Amino acid sequence: MSKKFFLSIFVCLVAIALSFFAYTRLSQSKISSNEQLASHEAEEREAPPAAVASSDSHVTSKASVDSAVTYSPSAAVADRSQPLKERLSELKQLAESDLSTAYDLATSIGSCSGVTQNDERVEALLDQGGRAVGVADAVLDMQDYCAGLTKSDFDDALTLLDSAASSGLLEAQENYVHTAGVILASDEYRFDTDRIAAYKRNAISHLNSAARNGSADALANLSYVYEEGRLTQRNPQMAAELYEAYMAQSGRSGPQYQARLDQLRALAEGDE
């Protein structure tokens, strides 16, 4: 099999693992309470996510649909023939006038979070031989691509991602929670309580915007958010309503989906 195949497999596995780690790390972060965060959460408790028009209809409100921006993959960002750091200034300039480039650049920088030089791991993979050699090549390619990036670059990625989502790019709204979460899971942000608190607020806000823009996946993600209570106060009733809205909008009504909805309703009843 080709080197590109192994690189694709490795990058996908890394993205999945980092997303899970990010979500777990952020949920365990001990953020001191402050008046601004407390006020924001109070407002959220009083005003349900705009993705749900009412507890009866479980549909998005057409009257409150945000202005969505069409996404077009950036060929400039997709070019990985050079280390990202060497082209960063050029790409940042392009990102200033193109939301898709801003989003793709933020995602590319985010994919480098946690990528470090690890010669021992590469040598161990090479010693295994067979398919492990392809994985070793993929690790080396990723290390070369991400070499030289600093915390300032990751700070810029968070800003670009938030800007693209706030400007109406649906992909950025849907994926902010994961991409920003991966970046903030690194040790450099471990005690940056202000950024983590802002991430939690922004993640919910962008998911709500994506739901208003017609994203069923955003409704499902919001349901998990309110079920688990990691980004905001736990609310099983809201989680059930959002998941029902997700089922209606996505057309998914199989036994597994109904079983999850029943589970959420049972949780809601248990909290009453």
Side-chain angles (χ1 to χ4, degrees), residues 134-157:
V135 176
D137 287 341
V139 171
L140 288 171
D141 284 345
M142 200 68 181
Q143 289 177 351
D144 290 342
Y145 179 70
C146 298
L149 292 177
T150 65
K151 183 177 181 296
S152 177
D153 297 323
F154 289 105
D155 288 344
D156 290 342

Side-chain angles (χ1 to χ4, degrees), residues 111-186:
S111 71
C112 290
S113 182
V115 176
T116 57
Q117 295 297 127
N118 192 333
D119 294 336
E120 291 183 0
R121 181 188 178 193
V122 172
E123 290 177 4
L125 288 168
L126 291 173
D127 289 342
Q128 291 179 33
R131 294 186 176 183
V133 174
V135 176
D137 287 341
V139 171
L140 288 171
D141 284 345
M142 200 68 181
Q143 289 177 351
D144 290 342
Y145 179 70
C146 298
L149 292 177
T150 65
K151 183 177 181 296
S152 177
D153 297 323
F154 289 105
D155 288 344
D156 290 342
L158 292 170
T159 300
L160 288 169
L161 187 61
D162 182 56
S163 177
S166 298
S167 297
L169 189 67
L170 181 61
E171 285 75 10
Q173 293 170 346
E174 289 177 324
N175 297 313
Y176 174 91
V177 63
H178 303 298
T179 304
V182 167
I183 294 174
L184 290 172
S186 69

Side-chain angles (χ1 to χ4, degrees), residues 36-250:
Q36 182 179 9
L37 183 57
S39 173
H40 175 80
E41 290 182 343
E43 289 175 358
E44 286 188 332
R45 289 194 295 270
E46 295 171 2
V52 180
S54 70
S55 59
D56 296 322
S57 61
H58 302 288
V59 295
T60 56
S61 172
K62 294 182 180 179
S64 61
V65 171
D66 292 341
S67 177
V69 178
T70 302
Y71 169 72
S72 178
S74 170
V77 177
D79 179 6
R80 295 198 170 204
S81 59
Q82 297 174 267
L84 181 56
K85 184 69 174 181
E86 294 181 7
R87 304 183 58 233
L88 209 49
S89 295
E90 168 200 344
L91 294 173
K92 285 179 180 178
Q93 288 183 345
L94 293 174
E96 290 177 0
S97 58
D98 185 76
L99 292 177
S100 294
T101 299
Y103 168 67
D104 285 347
L105 179 56
T107 301
S108 292
I109 296 174
S111 71
C112 290
S113 182
V115 176
T116 57
Q117 295 297 127
N118 192 333
D119 294 336
E120 291 183 0
R121 181 188 178 193
V122 172
E123 290 177 4
L125 288 168
L126 291 173
D127 289 342
Q128 291 179 33
R131 294 186 176 183
V133 174
V135 176
D137 287 341
V139 171
L140 288 171
D141 284 345
M142 200 68 181
Q143 289 177 351
D144 290 342
Y145 179 70
C146 298
L149 292 177
T150 65
K151 183 177 181 296
S152 177
D153 297 323
F154 289 105
D155 288 344
D156 290 342
L158 292 170
T159 300
L160 288 169
L161 187 61
D162 182 56
S163 177
S166 298
S167 297
L169 189 67
L170 181 61
E171 285 75 10
Q173 293 170 346
E174 289 177 324
N175 297 313
Y176 174 91
V177 63
H178 303 298
T179 304
V182 167
I183 294 174
L184 290 172
S186 69
D187 288 338
E188 290 181 311
Y189 292 98
R190 192 172 193 177
F191 302 107
D192 195 339
T193 57
D194 290 339
R195 279 194 181 274
I196 294 174
Y199 160 74
K200 292 184 177 186
R201 295 193 299 270
N202 292 341
I204 295 173
S205 174
H206 293 324
L207 284 175
N208 271 310
S209 294
R212 288 194 295 270
N213 281 326
S215 170
D217 289 341
L219 290 171
N221 286 334
L222 278 168
S223 175
Y224 282 108
V225 164
Y226 280 95
E227 177 192 4
E228 298 176 350
R230 295 180 176 181
L231 301 183
T232 189
Q233 185 176 12
R234 184 172 177 272
N235 188 333
Q237 179 60 41
M238 184 63 66
E241 292 181 5
L242 286 162
Y243 196 76
E244 187 171 2
Y246 159 72
M247 290 175 61
Q249 187 161 317
S250 65

